Structure formats: C-alpha cells, structure tokens
Amino acid sequence: MLGHFKPPGDPRHSEDVEIKWGVHRKGEERERWVTGERRTALQVLISGRFRLEFPGRSVVLAEQGDYVVWGRGVDHSWYAEEDSVVLTVRWPSVAGYRVDVEADATPSVPAGARSVPPTDVPDGPVND
C-alpha cells in the first residue's frame, strides 16, 4: 500500500497518489456509500468477481484485467460477488474515506442514488 496513510518519511507516503491491494471475501460490501468524492480512481480486477455501484448503474468486473475509472464527484460503493482481489489507484491521496464501522455500522445510500446517472462511468468493464 502507498498513500497518505503511511507515515511521513516512509518512501510509501504520498499525498499525490494512493495504491491499495484489496482482498475481499464473497459477500463483503462497503459499509456505506462514498459521497462527496474528491479523488479520481482506477480499479482493476486481479481475480474473482467484483461489483461497483454508482448512482443509477452497476459495473461488474468479471474477467481478470477488467477495470473501471471514475472521477471526482461520483458517489460509489462496492460488493464482492465472489472472493476477489482488486488493485485500486486513487489520486490525490487524501484522508477521510475510511469507514469507521464502530461509529456507523448502518449502510446508507446517498439521496437519488438510484435515479441520477453518473456522467463519467463507462457502460461496463473495460478490458484492453
């Protein structure tokens, strides 16, 4: 992992970019939607089957190498349809997105999430 969450002085500390290797068990999901996104993100499927939820649209990463990119202001969440490994790159790397499960374990969906289509999310996964 690389990003703002590594201590200053650590070569993996960066406020410019964040890289995360995510291992998620089947059925695991984000506790609540990300709203007010201030980053651009790229997510690549390494293995498994992983669904990203956006307002009015779902994108399923089903084949190794499938990826999706979304920009600032795009609300989102995720769900592991199978045991999955995903590589996520975000820029810039900023604090404030980690879900504190003990403080708020109730999943929430942003207002209008099922009726407002995102403007910069592709129709499906991309695999070049």
Side-chain angles (χ1 to χ4, degrees):
M1 293 175 54
L2 178 146
H4 74 277
F5 40 79
K6 293 297 183 182
D10 185 313
R12 297 168 296 170
H13 175 84
S14 173
E15 294 179 10
D16 297 322
V17 67
E18 177 177 317
I19 300 173
K20 177 185 172 197
W21 185 265
V23 178
H24 303 284
R25 291 286 189 214
K26 179 180 180 178
E28 188 178 339
E29 61 187 333
R30 196 166 204 292
E31 290 294 324
R32 65 175 179 241
W33 280 65
V34 172
T35 58
E37 179 64 80
R38 296 177 290 154
R39 309 164 297 178
T40 299
L42 159 72
Q43 191 161 66
V44 181
L45 181 69
I46 305 303
S47 64
R49 185 175 172 93
F50 200 78
R51 185 176 71 232
L52 285 299
E53 298 289 346
F54 300 98
R57 179 178 304 169
S58 293
V59 176
V60 177
L61 305 178
E63 295 185 29
Q64 187 177 49
D66 282 355
Y67 69 94
V68 65
V69 175
W70 64 94
R72 295 176 185 201
V74 177
D75 297 342
H76 62 279
S77 192
W78 54 262
Y79 178 81
E81 293 187 353
E82 297 176 356
D83 287 352
S84 300
V85 177
V86 292
L87 176 70
T88 306
V89 181
R90 300 179 188 105
W91 60 97
S93 179
V94 293
Y97 292 93
R98 184 175 179 170
V99 175
D100 183 353
V101 177
E102 291 180 17
D104 182 6
T106 306
S108 63
V109 177
R114 289 178 173 75
S115 61
V116 181
T119 57
D120 59 349
V121 176
D123 288 335
V126 180
N127 190 356
D128 293 331

Short mmCIF file of all heavy atoms in Angstrom, two decimals, residues 66-122:
data_model
loop_
_atom_site.label_atom_id
_atom_site.label_comp_id
_atom_site.label_asym_id
_atom_site.label_seq_id
_atom_site.Cartn_x
_atom_site.Cartn_y
_atom_site.Cartn_z
N ASP A 66 -10.28 -6.62 -16.11
CA ASP A 66 -11.38 -5.66 -16.25
C ASP A 66 -11.10 -4.49 -15.32
O ASP A 66 -10.59 -4.67 -14.21
CB ASP A 66 -12.72 -6.28 -15.86
CG ASP A 66 -13.31 -7.19 -16.94
OD1 ASP A 66 -12.74 -7.28 -18.05
OD2 ASP A 66 -14.35 -7.80 -16.67
N TYR A 67 -11.45 -3.30 -15.77
CA TYR A 67 -11.23 -2.13 -14.91
C TYR A 67 -12.30 -1.09 -15.15
O TYR A 67 -13.01 -1.12 -16.16
CB TYR A 67 -9.84 -1.54 -15.12
CG TYR A 67 -9.62 -0.87 -16.46
CD1 TYR A 67 -9.81 0.50 -16.61
CD2 TYR A 67 -9.23 -1.60 -17.57
CE1 TYR A 67 -9.60 1.12 -17.82
CE2 TYR A 67 -9.03 -0.98 -18.79
CZ TYR A 67 -9.21 0.38 -18.91
OH TYR A 67 -9.01 1.00 -20.11
N VAL A 68 -12.39 -0.18 -14.21
CA VAL A 68 -13.30 0.95 -14.30
C VAL A 68 -12.58 2.16 -13.72
O VAL A 68 -11.78 2.04 -12.79
CB VAL A 68 -14.65 0.67 -13.60
CG1 VAL A 68 -14.47 0.49 -12.11
CG2 VAL A 68 -15.67 1.75 -13.90
N VAL A 69 -12.86 3.32 -14.32
CA VAL A 69 -12.30 4.59 -13.85
C VAL A 69 -13.47 5.53 -13.57
O VAL A 69 -14.41 5.59 -14.37
CB VAL A 69 -11.38 5.21 -14.94
CG1 VAL A 69 -10.90 6.59 -14.50
CG2 VAL A 69 -10.21 4.30 -15.24
N TRP A 70 -13.42 6.22 -12.45
CA TRP A 70 -14.43 7.24 -12.18
C TRP A 70 -13.76 8.46 -11.58
O TRP A 70 -12.65 8.39 -11.07
CB TRP A 70 -15.56 6.72 -11.29
CG TRP A 70 -15.18 6.33 -9.91
CD1 TRP A 70 -15.25 7.13 -8.80
CD2 TRP A 70 -14.68 5.07 -9.46
NE1 TRP A 70 -14.83 6.43 -7.70
CE2 TRP A 70 -14.48 5.15 -8.08
CE3 TRP A 70 -14.38 3.86 -10.10
CZ2 TRP A 70 -14.00 4.09 -7.32
CZ3 TRP A 70 -13.91 2.80 -9.35
CH2 TRP A 70 -13.72 2.92 -7.98
N GLY A 71 -14.41 9.58 -11.71
CA GLY A 71 -13.81 10.84 -11.32
C GLY A 71 -14.40 11.46 -10.08
O GLY A 71 -15.26 10.90 -9.40
N ARG A 72 -13.92 12.64 -9.82
CA ARG A 72 -14.37 13.42 -8.66
C ARG A 72 -15.87 13.65 -8.74
O ARG A 72 -16.42 13.84 -9.81
CB ARG A 72 -13.63 14.75 -8.63
CG ARG A 72 -12.16 14.58 -8.40
CD ARG A 72 -11.44 15.88 -8.46
NE ARG A 72 -10.01 15.61 -8.34
CZ ARG A 72 -9.12 16.51 -7.97
NH1 ARG A 72 -9.50 17.74 -7.69
NH2 ARG A 72 -7.85 16.18 -7.87
N GLY A 73 -16.49 13.58 -7.58
CA GLY A 73 -17.92 13.85 -7.50
C GLY A 73 -18.81 12.66 -7.79
O GLY A 73 -20.02 12.77 -7.69
N VAL A 74 -18.24 11.50 -8.13
CA VAL A 74 -19.05 10.31 -8.43
C VAL A 74 -19.20 9.47 -7.16
O VAL A 74 -18.24 8.89 -6.68
CB VAL A 74 -18.43 9.47 -9.57
CG1 VAL A 74 -19.24 8.21 -9.82
CG2 VAL A 74 -18.32 10.30 -10.85
N ASP A 75 -20.42 9.42 -6.63
CA ASP A 75 -20.70 8.60 -5.45
C ASP A 75 -20.58 7.13 -5.84
O ASP A 75 -20.87 6.77 -7.00
CB ASP A 75 -22.12 8.86 -4.94
CG ASP A 75 -22.32 10.29 -4.46
OD1 ASP A 75 -21.32 11.00 -4.20
OD2 ASP A 75 -23.49 10.70 -4.36
N HIS A 76 -20.16 6.30 -4.90
CA HIS A 76 -19.99 4.88 -5.24
C HIS A 76 -19.95 4.00 -4.00
O HIS A 76 -19.77 4.47 -2.88
CB HIS A 76 -18.72 4.67 -6.07
CG HIS A 76 -17.47 5.06 -5.34
ND1 HIS A 76 -17.05 6.36 -5.25
CD2 HIS A 76 -16.57 4.33 -4.67
CE1 HIS A 76 -15.93 6.41 -4.54
NE2 HIS A 76 -15.62 5.18 -4.18
N SER A 77 -20.10 2.70 -4.25
CA SER A 77 -19.97 1.67 -3.25
C SER A 77 -19.52 0.41 -3.98
O SER A 77 -19.33 0.43 -5.20
CB SER A 77 -21.29 1.45 -2.52
OG SER A 77 -21.08 0.65 -1.37
N TRP A 78 -19.35 -0.71 -3.24
CA TRP A 78 -18.91 -1.94 -3.89
C TRP A 78 -19.43 -3.16 -3.15
O TRP A 78 -19.82 -3.09 -2.00
CB TRP A 78 -17.39 -1.99 -4.04
CG TRP A 78 -16.63 -1.80 -2.74
CD1 TRP A 78 -16.07 -0.64 -2.29
CD2 TRP A 78 -16.35 -2.79 -1.73
NE1 TRP A 78 -15.47 -0.85 -1.06
CE2 TRP A 78 -15.62 -2.16 -0.70
CE3 TRP A 78 -16.64 -4.15 -1.61
CZ2 TRP A 78 -15.18 -2.85 0.42
CZ3 TRP A 78 -16.21 -4.81 -0.46
CH2 TRP A 78 -15.48 -4.16 0.52
N TYR A 79 -19.38 -4.30 -3.87
CA TYR A 79 -19.83 -5.58 -3.34
C TYR A 79 -19.01 -6.69 -4.00
O TYR A 79 -18.89 -6.73 -5.22
CB TYR A 79 -21.32 -5.78 -3.65
CG TYR A 79 -21.86 -7.11 -3.17
CD1 TYR A 79 -22.21 -7.30 -1.84
CD2 TYR A 79 -22.01 -8.17 -4.05
CE1 TYR A 79 -22.70 -8.52 -1.39
CE2 TYR A 79 -22.50 -9.40 -3.61
CZ TYR A 79 -22.84 -9.56 -2.29
OH TYR A 79 -23.32 -10.77 -1.84
N ALA A 80 -18.44 -7.60 -3.20
CA ALA A 80 -17.68 -8.73 -3.73
C ALA A 80 -18.65 -9.88 -4.04
O ALA A 80 -19.17 -10.51 -3.13
CB ALA A 80 -16.61 -9.18 -2.73
N GLU A 81 -18.90 -10.12 -5.32
CA GLU A 81 -19.80 -11.21 -5.71
C GLU A 81 -19.15 -12.57 -5.54
O GLU A 81 -19.83 -13.58 -5.39
CB GLU A 81 -20.26 -11.02 -7.16
CG GLU A 81 -21.14 -9.79 -7.32
CD GLU A 81 -21.75 -9.67 -8.70
OE1 GLU A 81 -21.40 -10.46 -9.62
OE2 GLU A 81 -22.59 -8.77 -8.88
N GLU A 82 -17.82 -12.61 -5.58
CA GLU A 82 -17.02 -13.82 -5.31
C GLU A 82 -15.83 -13.35 -4.48
O GLU A 82 -15.57 -12.15 -4.38
CB GLU A 82 -16.50 -14.45 -6.61
CG GLU A 82 -17.57 -14.95 -7.55
CD GLU A 82 -16.98 -15.47 -8.87
OE1 GLU A 82 -15.76 -15.37 -9.08
OE2 GLU A 82 -17.77 -15.97 -9.69
N ASP A 83 -15.07 -14.29 -3.91
CA ASP A 83 -13.79 -13.91 -3.31
C ASP A 83 -13.03 -13.15 -4.38
O ASP A 83 -12.91 -13.63 -5.53
CB ASP A 83 -12.99 -15.14 -2.89
CG ASP A 83 -13.56 -15.83 -1.66
OD1 ASP A 83 -14.48 -15.29 -1.02
OD2 ASP A 83 -13.07 -16.93 -1.34
N SER A 84 -12.55 -11.95 -4.06
CA SER A 84 -11.96 -11.08 -5.07
C SER A 84 -10.69 -10.40 -4.58
O SER A 84 -10.54 -10.13 -3.39
CB SER A 84 -12.96 -9.98 -5.47
OG SER A 84 -14.14 -10.51 -5.98
N VAL A 85 -9.83 -10.12 -5.54
CA VAL A 85 -8.66 -9.28 -5.31
C VAL A 85 -8.74 -8.15 -6.33
O VAL A 85 -8.92 -8.40 -7.53
CB VAL A 85 -7.34 -10.06 -5.48
CG1 VAL A 85 -6.14 -9.14 -5.30
CG2 VAL A 85 -7.27 -11.23 -4.50
N VAL A 86 -8.66 -6.91 -5.84
CA VAL A 86 -8.70 -5.74 -6.71
C VAL A 86 -7.55 -4.81 -6.38
O VAL A 86 -7.13 -4.69 -5.23
CB VAL A 86 -10.04 -4.98 -6.60
CG1 VAL A 86 -11.18 -5.80 -7.17
CG2 VAL A 86 -10.35 -4.58 -5.18
N LEU A 87 -7.03 -4.17 -7.41
CA LEU A 87 -5.99 -3.16 -7.26
C LEU A 87 -6.66 -1.82 -7.51
O LEU A 87 -7.30 -1.63 -8.56
CB LEU A 87 -4.86 -3.38 -8.26
CG LEU A 87 -3.77 -2.31 -8.25
CD1 LEU A 87 -2.96 -2.40 -6.96
CD2 LEU A 87 -2.86 -2.49 -9.45
N THR A 88 -6.55 -0.91 -6.55
CA THR A 88 -7.16 0.40 -6.69
C THR A 88 -6.07 1.47 -6.64
O THR A 88 -5.19 1.43 -5.78
CB THR A 88 -8.18 0.65 -5.56
OG1 THR A 88 -9.12 -0.42 -5.55
CG2 THR A 88 -8.91 1.97 -5.74
N VAL A 89 -6.14 2.40 -7.58
CA VAL A 89 -5.24 3.55 -7.62
C VAL A 89 -6.13 4.79 -7.54
O VAL A 89 -7.10 4.91 -8.30
CB VAL A 89 -4.41 3.58 -8.92
CG1 VAL A 89 -3.47 4.78 -8.93
CG2 VAL A 89 -3.63 2.28 -9.10
N ARG A 90 -5.82 5.69 -6.62
CA ARG A 90 -6.60 6.91 -6.45
C ARG A 90 -5.64 8.11 -6.44
O ARG A 90 -4.54 8.02 -5.90
CB ARG A 90 -7.37 6.90 -5.13
CG ARG A 90 -8.34 5.77 -4.99
CD ARG A 90 -9.02 5.87 -3.62
NE ARG A 90 -9.82 4.70 -3.35
CZ ARG A 90 -9.50 3.72 -2.53
NH1 ARG A 90 -8.35 3.75 -1.87
NH2 ARG A 90 -10.30 2.70 -2.34
N TRP A 91 -6.12 9.21 -6.98
CA TRP A 91 -5.32 10.42 -6.96
C TRP A 91 -6.23 11.63 -6.84
O TRP A 91 -7.28 11.65 -7.48
CB TRP A 91 -4.38 10.49 -8.15
CG TRP A 91 -5.04 10.48 -9.50
CD1 TRP A 91 -5.33 11.58 -10.27
CD2 TRP A 91 -5.47 9.34 -10.25
NE1 TRP A 91 -5.93 11.18 -11.44
CE2 TRP A 91 -6.03 9.81 -11.46
CE3 TRP A 91 -5.47 7.96 -10.02
CZ2 TRP A 91 -6.56 8.96 -12.43
CZ3 TRP A 91 -6.01 7.12 -11.00
CH2 TRP A 91 -6.54 7.62 -12.18
N PRO A 92 -5.83 12.57 -5.96
CA PRO A 92 -4.75 12.51 -4.99
C PRO A 92 -5.11 11.58 -3.83
O PRO A 92 -6.23 11.09 -3.75
CB PRO A 92 -4.64 13.95 -4.50
CG PRO A 92 -6.03 14.48 -4.61
CD PRO A 92 -6.62 13.81 -5.83
N SER A 93 -4.16 11.37 -2.94
CA SER A 93 -4.39 10.54 -1.75
C SER A 93 -4.74 11.48 -0.60
O SER A 93 -3.92 12.28 -0.17
CB SER A 93 -3.13 9.74 -1.42
OG SER A 93 -3.34 8.97 -0.26
N VAL A 94 -6.00 11.37 -0.16
CA VAL A 94 -6.47 12.24 0.92
C VAL A 94 -7.21 11.42 1.97
O VAL A 94 -7.82 10.40 1.65
CB VAL A 94 -7.38 13.37 0.40
CG1 VAL A 94 -6.61 14.34 -0.48
CG2 VAL A 94 -8.58 12.81 -0.35
N ALA A 95 -7.15 11.89 3.19
CA ALA A 95 -7.83 11.21 4.30
C ALA A 95 -9.32 11.48 4.26
O ALA A 95 -9.78 12.41 3.60
CB ALA A 95 -7.24 11.69 5.62
N GLY A 96 -10.08 10.66 4.98
CA GLY A 96 -11.49 10.93 5.18
C GLY A 96 -12.44 9.95 4.54
O GLY A 96 -13.64 10.15 4.58
N TYR A 97 -11.95 8.86 3.97
CA TYR A 97 -12.82 7.91 3.28
C TYR A 97 -12.96 6.58 4.00
O TYR A 97 -13.81 5.79 3.65
CB TYR A 97 -12.33 7.67 1.85
CG TYR A 97 -12.50 8.90 1.01
CD1 TYR A 97 -11.47 9.82 0.87
CD2 TYR A 97 -13.70 9.17 0.39
CE1 TYR A 97 -11.64 10.96 0.12
CE2 TYR A 97 -13.88 10.31 -0.37
CZ TYR A 97 -12.84 11.21 -0.50
OH TYR A 97 -13.02 12.33 -1.23
N ARG A 98 -12.15 6.34 4.99
CA ARG A 98 -12.23 5.08 5.72
C ARG A 98 -13.52 5.03 6.53
O ARG A 98 -13.88 5.99 7.20
CB ARG A 98 -11.03 4.94 6.65
CG ARG A 98 -11.00 3.63 7.36
CD ARG A 98 -9.73 3.50 8.16
NE ARG A 98 -9.77 2.23 8.85
CZ ARG A 98 -8.73 1.73 9.48
NH1 ARG A 98 -7.60 2.38 9.51
NH2 ARG A 98 -8.84 0.57 10.07
N VAL A 99 -14.21 3.92 6.45
CA VAL A 99 -15.45 3.77 7.20
C VAL A 99 -15.10 3.33 8.61
O VAL A 99 -14.42 2.33 8.82
CB VAL A 99 -16.37 2.72 6.54
CG1 VAL A 99 -17.61 2.48 7.39
CG2 VAL A 99 -16.77 3.16 5.14
N ASP A 100 -15.59 4.07 9.60
CA ASP A 100 -15.43 3.70 11.00
C ASP A 100 -16.64 2.85 11.37
O ASP A 100 -17.70 3.37 11.71
CB ASP A 100 -15.34 4.94 11.87
CG ASP A 100 -15.09 4.61 13.33
OD1 ASP A 100 -15.12 3.42 13.70
OD2 ASP A 100 -14.87 5.55 14.11
N VAL A 101 -16.49 1.53 11.25
CA VAL A 101 -17.60 0.61 11.44
C VAL A 101 -18.22 0.74 12.83
O VAL A 101 -19.43 0.68 12.99
CB VAL A 101 -17.15 -0.85 11.17
CG1 VAL A 101 -18.28 -1.82 11.43
CG2 VAL A 101 -16.65 -0.98 9.74
N GLU A 102 -17.41 0.93 13.86
CA GLU A 102 -17.95 1.04 15.21
C GLU A 102 -18.79 2.30 15.36
O GLU A 102 -19.81 2.30 16.04
CB GLU A 102 -16.82 1.03 16.23
CG GLU A 102 -16.12 -0.32 16.31
CD GLU A 102 -15.00 -0.30 17.32
OE1 GLU A 102 -14.95 0.61 18.17
OE2 GLU A 102 -14.17 -1.20 17.27
N ALA A 103 -18.40 3.39 14.72
CA ALA A 103 -19.13 4.64 14.85
C ALA A 103 -20.40 4.64 14.01
O ALA A 103 -21.40 5.23 14.38
CB ALA A 103 -18.24 5.82 14.44
N ASP A 104 -20.37 3.96 12.84
CA ASP A 104 -21.54 3.98 11.96
C ASP A 104 -21.58 2.70 11.17
O ASP A 104 -21.03 2.62 10.08
CB ASP A 104 -21.49 5.19 11.03
CG ASP A 104 -22.72 5.26 10.14
OD1 ASP A 104 -23.66 4.45 10.30
OD2 ASP A 104 -22.74 6.13 9.27
N ALA A 105 -22.24 1.69 11.68
CA ALA A 105 -22.31 0.41 11.00
C ALA A 105 -23.55 0.28 10.14
O ALA A 105 -23.80 -0.76 9.57
CB ALA A 105 -22.29 -0.72 12.03
N THR A 106 -24.33 1.35 10.03
CA THR A 106 -25.54 1.30 9.23
C THR A 106 -25.24 1.71 7.81
O THR A 106 -24.83 2.84 7.56
CB THR A 106 -26.61 2.27 9.82
OG1 THR A 106 -26.79 1.96 11.18
CG2 THR A 106 -27.91 2.17 9.05
N PRO A 107 -25.42 0.80 6.83
CA PRO A 107 -25.18 1.18 5.44
C PRO A 107 -26.14 2.29 5.04
O PRO A 107 -27.28 2.32 5.45
CB PRO A 107 -25.47 -0.10 4.65
CG PRO A 107 -25.43 -1.20 5.65
CD PRO A 107 -25.81 -0.59 6.97
N SER A 108 -25.63 3.22 4.24
CA SER A 108 -26.51 4.27 3.74
C SER A 108 -26.27 4.46 2.26
O SER A 108 -25.22 4.13 1.73
CB SER A 108 -26.24 5.58 4.49
OG SER A 108 -24.93 6.02 4.26
N VAL A 109 -27.27 4.96 1.60
CA VAL A 109 -27.21 5.22 0.16
C VAL A 109 -27.49 6.70 -0.02
O VAL A 109 -28.40 7.25 0.59
CB VAL A 109 -28.27 4.37 -0.58
CG1 VAL A 109 -28.27 4.68 -2.05
CG2 VAL A 109 -28.03 2.90 -0.33
N PRO A 110 -26.69 7.39 -0.84
CA PRO A 110 -26.92 8.82 -0.99
C PRO A 110 -28.26 9.11 -1.64
O PRO A 110 -28.78 8.30 -2.39
CB PRO A 110 -25.76 9.25 -1.90
CG PRO A 110 -25.36 8.03 -2.63
CD PRO A 110 -25.62 6.90 -1.68
N ALA A 111 -28.81 10.28 -1.33
CA ALA A 111 -30.09 10.67 -1.91
C ALA A 111 -30.00 10.62 -3.44
O ALA A 111 -29.02 11.08 -4.03
CB ALA A 111 -30.44 12.08 -1.45
N GLY A 112 -30.99 10.03 -4.06
CA GLY A 112 -31.04 9.97 -5.52
C GLY A 112 -30.13 8.93 -6.14
O GLY A 112 -29.95 8.91 -7.36
N ALA A 113 -29.55 8.05 -5.35
CA ALA A 113 -28.55 7.12 -5.88
C ALA A 113 -29.11 6.20 -6.95
O ALA A 113 -28.37 5.74 -7.79
CB ALA A 113 -27.97 6.28 -4.75
N ARG A 114 -30.40 5.94 -6.93
CA ARG A 114 -30.95 5.03 -7.93
C ARG A 114 -31.59 5.76 -9.10
O ARG A 114 -32.13 5.16 -9.99
CB ARG A 114 -31.95 4.09 -7.27
CG ARG A 114 -31.23 3.09 -6.39
CD ARG A 114 -32.17 2.16 -5.66
NE ARG A 114 -31.44 1.12 -4.98
CZ ARG A 114 -30.74 1.29 -3.86
NH1 ARG A 114 -30.66 2.47 -3.31
NH2 ARG A 114 -30.13 0.27 -3.29
N SER A 115 -31.52 7.10 -9.10
CA SER A 115 -32.19 7.81 -10.17
C SER A 115 -31.29 8.79 -10.93
O SER A 115 -31.67 9.25 -11.98
CB SER A 115 -33.40 8.58 -9.62
OG SER A 115 -32.97 9.53 -8.67
N VAL A 116 -30.12 9.10 -10.41
CA VAL A 116 -29.25 10.06 -11.07
C VAL A 116 -28.08 9.32 -11.71
O VAL A 116 -27.22 8.80 -11.01
CB VAL A 116 -28.72 11.10 -10.06
CG1 VAL A 116 -27.83 12.10 -10.75
CG2 VAL A 116 -29.88 11.76 -9.34
N PRO A 117 -28.02 9.25 -13.05
CA PRO A 117 -26.92 8.52 -13.69
C PRO A 117 -25.60 9.28 -13.58
O PRO A 117 -25.60 10.51 -13.68
CB PRO A 117 -27.37 8.40 -15.14
CG PRO A 117 -28.31 9.53 -15.34
CD PRO A 117 -28.96 9.78 -14.02
N PRO A 118 -24.50 8.59 -13.37
CA PRO A 118 -23.20 9.25 -13.34
C PRO A 118 -22.85 9.72 -14.75
O PRO A 118 -23.34 9.19 -15.74
CB PRO A 118 -22.25 8.16 -12.86
CG PRO A 118 -22.92 6.89 -13.25
CD PRO A 118 -24.40 7.16 -13.18
N THR A 119 -21.98 10.71 -14.81
CA THR A 119 -21.64 11.27 -16.11
C THR A 119 -20.36 10.71 -16.70
O THR A 119 -20.12 10.83 -17.88
CB THR A 119 -21.50 12.79 -16.01
OG1 THR A 119 -20.50 13.10 -15.02
CG2 THR A 119 -22.81 13.44 -15.63
N ASP A 120 -19.52 10.10 -15.88
CA ASP A 120 -18.23 9.66 -16.41
C ASP A 120 -17.88 8.22 -16.04
O ASP A 120 -16.73 7.87 -15.92
CB ASP A 120 -17.11 10.60 -15.97
CG ASP A 120 -16.97 10.68 -14.46
OD1 ASP A 120 -17.86 10.17 -13.75
OD2 ASP A 120 -15.99 11.26 -13.99
N VAL A 121 -18.88 7.36 -15.90
CA VAL A 121 -18.66 5.94 -15.63
C VAL A 121 -19.02 5.18 -16.89
O VAL A 121 -20.09 5.36 -17.45
CB VAL A 121 -19.52 5.44 -14.45
CG1 VAL A 121 -19.35 3.95 -14.25
CG2 VAL A 121 -19.15 6.19 -13.19
N PRO A 122 -18.12 4.32 -17.42
CA PRO A 122 -18.42 3.59 -18.64
C PRO A 122 -19.59 2.64 -18.47
O PRO A 122 -19.96 2.29 -17.35
CB PRO A 122 -17.13 2.83 -18.92
CG PRO A 122 -16.42 2.76 -17.62
CD PRO A 122 -16.85 3.99 -16.84
#
